Amino acid sequence: MTTVGWGDNAKERMKTLLRGGYKLREVVADLIDNSIDYGGENCTVHVTFALASEDAKPYLCIRDDGDGIKPEDIDQAMTTGSRLTDYDHGLNLGMFGIGMKNSSLSQGKMVTIISKAEGKEICVRRIDAEHILGTDIWEIFTTHSGTEVAVKEYERLSRLSKGTTVLIEKMHKVANRIELESLDDDMLDIKDELDAYIGMVFEYYLKGTTLKSLQDNSFHDKKLTVYLNGTN
């Protein structure tokens, strides 16, 4: 577990982040954008918005087959408002720009990143808002939450050479949008909203496009494939 020296402000900072005004579809777009940055020429992203088997609570899981993220970059993204990249790869990608921590915590009180780079050990970082609210200390856990979906994602990525998963649990804002009596319909409505927004924002990437490098003015083909709950 890593402690970040933010004095006595951790609790108030967390309250502000949990009240963030970002919509779920904007958060999903920002996380897909991060995946594009790390995705190489052909980027595949799996977005799962579903109910957990243990407690029927909604969660969001976004995983990609990209190059993986260095632990120090994850730590920076979890302690500042920065994105996971600062255009390191030189292409004019990843400019949605909300910031991983800011956007994710606006939707869920538990945020976990599981990542693995080629030839490296798997890395886990987790923010638990309820822990920070209770202790007034900004601590980042180096273990996942232990929920079924977290365990499955850790085991899945352990078997692969590279990739990244972002898991958002304890989704406080989605919980306010769904009713027990109409749970399936409410979840489907949100999924359809995400589907339409992804198609609109990433239209050119989904079709395939050519991008110009910001470093050497060379051109690179880029193709994005997104699966939402198993379909694209």
Side-chain angles (χ1 to χ4, degrees):
M1 184 163 57
T2 303
T3 301
V4 180
W6 273 2
D8 297 327
N9 296 325
K11 183 176 180 178
E12 294 306 315
R13 287 173 183 266
M14 180 57 72
K15 287 181 178 179
T16 299
L17 290 170
L18 293 175
R19 293 194 298 264
Y22 306 115
K23 293 179 172 59
L24 179 61
R25 60 178 182 264
E26 295 171 335
V27 174
V28 171
D30 193 61
L31 293 173
I32 292 175
D33 217 23
N34 276 321
S35 294
I36 291 174
D37 283 329
Y38 282 91
E41 185 175 296
N42 295 296
C43 178
T44 300
V45 181
H46 292 261
V47 180
T48 302
F49 176 67
L51 299 174
S53 58
E54 302 103 315
D55 55 11
K57 300 295 185 183
Y59 71 87
L60 176 69
C61 180
I62 297 182
R63 57 181 170 90
D64 64 52
D65 59 354
D67 295 334
I69 310 168
K70 296 181 292 187
E72 55 267 31
D73 289 343
I74 301 176
D75 289 340
Q76 180 182 6
M78 284 193 152
T79 55
T80 71
S82 65
R83 292 178 50 77
L84 285 173
T85 67
D86 189 19
Y87 320 129
D88 292 338
H89 293 210
L91 299 178
N92 49 341
L93 298 170
M95 298 184 180
F96 206 82
I98 296 173
M100 188 281 301
K101 173 177 62 64
N102 293 12
S103 62
S104 299
L105 286 169
S106 74
Q107 292 294 324
K109 296 180 180 180
M110 183 88 75
V111 178
T112 306
I113 297 181
I114 307 170
S115 191
K116 186 178 182 182
E118 192 86 46
K120 302 293 184 180
E121 296 292 325
I122 193 168
C123 170
V124 180
R125 296 291 186 270
R126 173 169 57 92
I127 294 179
D128 184 341
E130 293 174 349
H131 174 77
I132 293 172
L133 293 173
T135 62
D136 200 18
I137 302 172
W138 196 278
E139 293 177 313
I140 301 173
F141 292 88
T142 55
T143 57
H144 57 68
S145 62
T147 59
E148 182 176 337
V149 63
V151 171
K152 285 184 176 179
E153 281 303 308
Y154 182 87
E155 292 178 347
R156 182 193 64 82
L157 193 50
S158 296
R159 295 189 294 268
L160 301 178
S161 61
K162 59 187 178 68
T164 298
T165 292
V166 178
L167 176 61
I168 302 177
E169 301 173 277
K170 299 182 180 179
M171 300 186 72
H172 52 292
K173 290 186 178 174
V174 169
N176 294 330
R177 294 179 58 183
I178 57 179
E179 300 289 342
L180 184 60
E181 296 79 7
S182 57
L183 184 59
D184 291 341
D185 289 339
D186 292 343
M187 290 289 290
L188 183 59
D189 287 344
I190 297 173
K191 174 187 171 295
D192 289 344
E193 177 185 310
L194 294 177
D195 194 16
Y197 195 71
I198 291 169
M200 179 186 70
V201 170
F202 298 104
E203 178 183 2
Y204 293 109
Y205 296 123
L206 293 168
K207 292 179 178 178
T209 188
T210 300
L211 300 170
K212 185 177 182 180
S213 170
L214 301 177
Q215 294 178 346
D216 58 10
N217 293 324
S218 61
F219 289 88
H220 302 261
D221 292 332
K222 191 76 177 182
K223 178 70 167 65
L224 170 67
T225 302
V226 176
Y227 293 89
L228 177 57
N229 287 9
T231 61
N232 69 344

